[in-house]
Amino acid sequence: MAFPLNDKQREAVEATEGPVLVIAGAGSGKTRVLTERIAHLVRDLGVAPWNILAFTFTNRAAREMRERLEVDNPGISERLWVGTFHATGVRILRSHGDSIGVSRYFSIYDADDSRDLIKDILSRHALQGQMFRSPRSVRDKISRWKNDLIAPDLAAAGVADNIQRRMVTIYREYERGLQRANALDFDDLIGKVVELFSVSRETKDHYARRFQYVLVDEFQDTNAIQMALIDTLASYHNNLFVVGDDDQSIYSWRGAKVDHILNFEDLFPDTRVIRLEQNYRSTQTILDAANHVIAHNRGRRGKNLWTDGEQGEKVGLIVSMDEETEAMNVLHAVNSLVGEGHGLRDIAVLYRTNAQSRALEDVLKLGGLPYQIIGAVRFYERMEVRDILAYCKLLTNNADDMSLKRILNVPKRALGKTTYEKLSRTAGRQNVSIMDVLKTGSFESAVPLGGAQITRCKQFVDLFAELETVAAADTAPKAIETIVERIGYRDYLRDGYPDSDSRVENVDELIAAASIYTEANEDRSLRAFLEEIALVADIDTWDEAQGQLTLMTLHNAKGLEFDCIIIAGVEDGLVPHYNSIDRQETLEEERRLFYVGMTRARKRLFLSHANVRRRMGMVEGGMPSRFLLEIPDEYLDGIVEGARTGGELDDHAGPLGALAGQTQEYEDYSQEEIYFAVGMKIVHNDFGPGIVRKVEGTGENLRVTVIFDRGGERKFLARYAPMRPMS
């Protein structure tokens, strides 16, 4: 073997025939097992690479698998099908989608595109109710229907009230909108393949016979349509090899079903089950703490992670007064780790909700620490990037009305909302796309436009025809550069936006991304580049080489690992989230999420809890997470050194005894009855000198807002704030 394998890993690699379920604990080397199994099939058993299909859940994982295979088997990955479910679906639909009416040149609608289409539909209906005020909520409902293989007709059969009936109506219009735009959303990239296989026996048999071996990574995260696809592709040879961990199933909210792994033997008789429990990532202390937490879940197959590595340091607890103080303590902990020799790139701060990053970012900026956030506003979601991509999408698919709506008046050409709506109504009556109306010139007689608007529409059509020629003939980076130059987009940004420099940089970065893509791929067309970026996930944007501290949600941390992990907000209401506390199954998923966060750490793990936290403008008391109380005291280290505003824990009660009783004390500055007033100069122990901008409340609830000399504005509860008037 190219890599050293332990006995269980070798057993998994060599178990090539029939259904095999590998229960792979966190850090147990599952990627090594998957890649070695593929290499074993090709190198030792003579299986042709094109007869192997491997599913991953991220492009990053697919790329890593290919790179590992290439080390000892040059050229092998070029003939393999290794990729995400969505990428595999695109590949099949481009070749065979016409059997179910899917054009070869369909566009891929990302989440924002889908929400824009739904927003357009909702604007035409006067619907009452909270659900219909949120395009995202409507999109999520439609997505759940699709993930459960429920088409509009089937959804209509199961409705119980008027709200559901209206939702089905929107679902139907949404599907018609996709069809008119010659577009598929993310769910369709898999669902349409399942539909294709159900109506085309020839196509189904072609792929089922071709793929002699089917491998699936992160099997615990599969949903109904993914499972249907897996079942079909493995139906002929029955050589299905799945790797997963029921203790890391954290995506039920997007349709993942942990039952797929819990009941695998019922779905596939004669399954061979292999457990990988030896961990190669974390210290034994981290594993012991995580094992004790996850053992409280009932719905699991059961395993116990262990390592031959070092015992390691205890899990550090950071206890803070509020989220502002927590952020300062996190900063101090990061600086301490850096002082011990850890690089910023080796440290990550995790949290349950994106909103928690605000306090952390404020403090990190004041502290001068470089950081990157995964899962915030992604590069491809930025306004200027989406503008240029809308041009690209419309050029490669004229039926994409949502892209035309975005760019018809960008840059401004006096073709605004009224003109678009008139063109849209005409297109609807003629049952064609808006671009068809413009190109055929029928808008001159069929659309009630004035002479100036008609002239501008003709100018737009001429510009579009010119760009179409470029898009068809040039490589992706050249085509994008021509679009940017021809429409004067950089000048448009400079004239209209105060932050134009950074926006122009983003446009240039888009061109650079296209160049990088074309250097690495044979198909250098604009269409191929658009397909590539449409499948980019949040985690694919993580750059471990940047040398920055990483901030991300617990969900986004799945699949990653760092030397040092700090989990912030470990309190009931966040971890577990208040929406998930009342039901056993959702509470268990929250525990799995916490377990995932804990097992991302190689060497050091810190858990942070605040006594009070602001939520929806209110200050609420925070109780330590029930999950914290599931960790035995022997694995915990009290308050981490440097949590400057926190007092000492009761040594006799043990770290969690103190947490559970909330007996920790904080220095109470209000006892000195310090007076604060607007305009007063103060000095803060951590942030230095500043000026009071606002004073609110009285007594124990007195809050002081301060603008600091070094930049930034902060709000404090005065009784706990380590600051004094300047003498």
Side-chain angles (χ1 to χ4, degrees), residues 58-124:
T58 65
N59 295 317
R60 181 187 182 84
R63 186 167 59 248
E64 180 182 354
M65 191 178 296
R66 288 181 180 276
E67 289 171 352
R68 290 195 185 192
L69 282 166
E70 285 293 322
V71 171
D72 293 308
N73 308 275
I76 185 175
S77 67
E78 295 178 5
R79 295 167 290 168
L80 290 168
W81 276 41
V82 178
T84 64
F85 284 92
H86 296 99
T88 303
V90 169
R91 195 168 179 177
I92 293 173
L93 290 171
R94 294 287 189 209
S95 299
H96 305 280
D98 56 342
S99 298
I100 54 171
V102 175
S103 164
R104 177 182 178 84
Y105 300 113
F106 61 83
S107 292
I108 300 173
Y109 269 22
D110 62 18
D112 283 335
D113 294 324
S114 294
R115 284 195 292 270
D116 286 345
L117 175 55
I118 288 170
K119 191 184 301 183
D120 204 47
I121 294 169
L122 291 175
S123 69
R124 300 196 295 268

Side-chain angles (χ1 to χ4, degrees), residues 225-392:
I225 54 176
Q226 290 164 344
M227 193 65 217
L229 182 60
I230 292 167
D231 191 33
T232 299
L233 291 172
S235 61
Y236 188 80
H237 297 285
N238 200 36
N239 293 325
L240 176 61
F241 182 87
V242 303
V243 181
D245 182 4
D246 50 302
D247 289 335
Q248 297 187 71
S249 179
I250 59 174
Y251 294 116
S252 66
W253 47 274
R254 66 185 190 194
K257 298 183 180 299
V258 69
D259 288 348
H260 290 164
I261 195 168
L262 294 177
N263 304 322
F264 189 81
E265 293 96 323
D266 296 332
L267 299 171
F268 300 93
D270 301 320
T271 291
R272 183 171 179 178
V273 180
I274 302 169
R275 282 178 167 78
L276 303 182
E277 297 177 305
Q278 183 173 359
N279 180 280
Y280 293 91
R281 175 189 301 157
S282 305
T283 65
Q284 189 61 55
T285 296
I286 292 172
L287 295 178
D288 287 341
N291 285 335
H292 275 88
V293 171
I294 201 63
H296 286 76
N297 271 6
R298 299 174 189 169
R300 62 190 296 258
R301 300 186 70 109
K303 64 180 177 304
N304 195 60
L305 295 180
W306 60 275
T307 180
D308 278 338
E310 61 182 343
Q311 185 66 33
E313 299 189 43
K314 291 185 177 182
V315 176
L317 283 179
I318 303 175
V319 183
S320 307
M321 195 283 296
D322 59 13
E323 72 266 33
E324 314 292 332
T325 313
E326 177 185 54
M328 288 186 280
N329 287 334
V330 167
L331 171 63
H332 185 77
V334 170
N335 283 330
S336 296
L337 290 169
V338 172
E340 294 172 8
H342 296 284
L344 281 178
R345 61 180 285 183
D346 300 321
I347 307 170
V349 181
L350 312 181
Y351 36 80
R352 178 63 177 83
T353 65
N354 280 309
Q356 290 172 255
S357 72
R358 193 273 311 162
L360 293 165
E361 287 190 81
D362 287 350
V363 168
L364 291 173
K365 288 174 182 175
L366 284 172
L369 275 187
Y371 64 90
Q372 60 175 329
I373 297 183
I374 306 301
V377 179
R378 295 187 294 167
F379 175 77
Y380 293 110
E381 292 175 353
R382 292 168 183 164
M383 180 210 80
E384 57 277 11
V385 175
R386 292 191 68 81
D387 283 350
I388 301 304
L389 289 179
Y391 272 95
C392 296

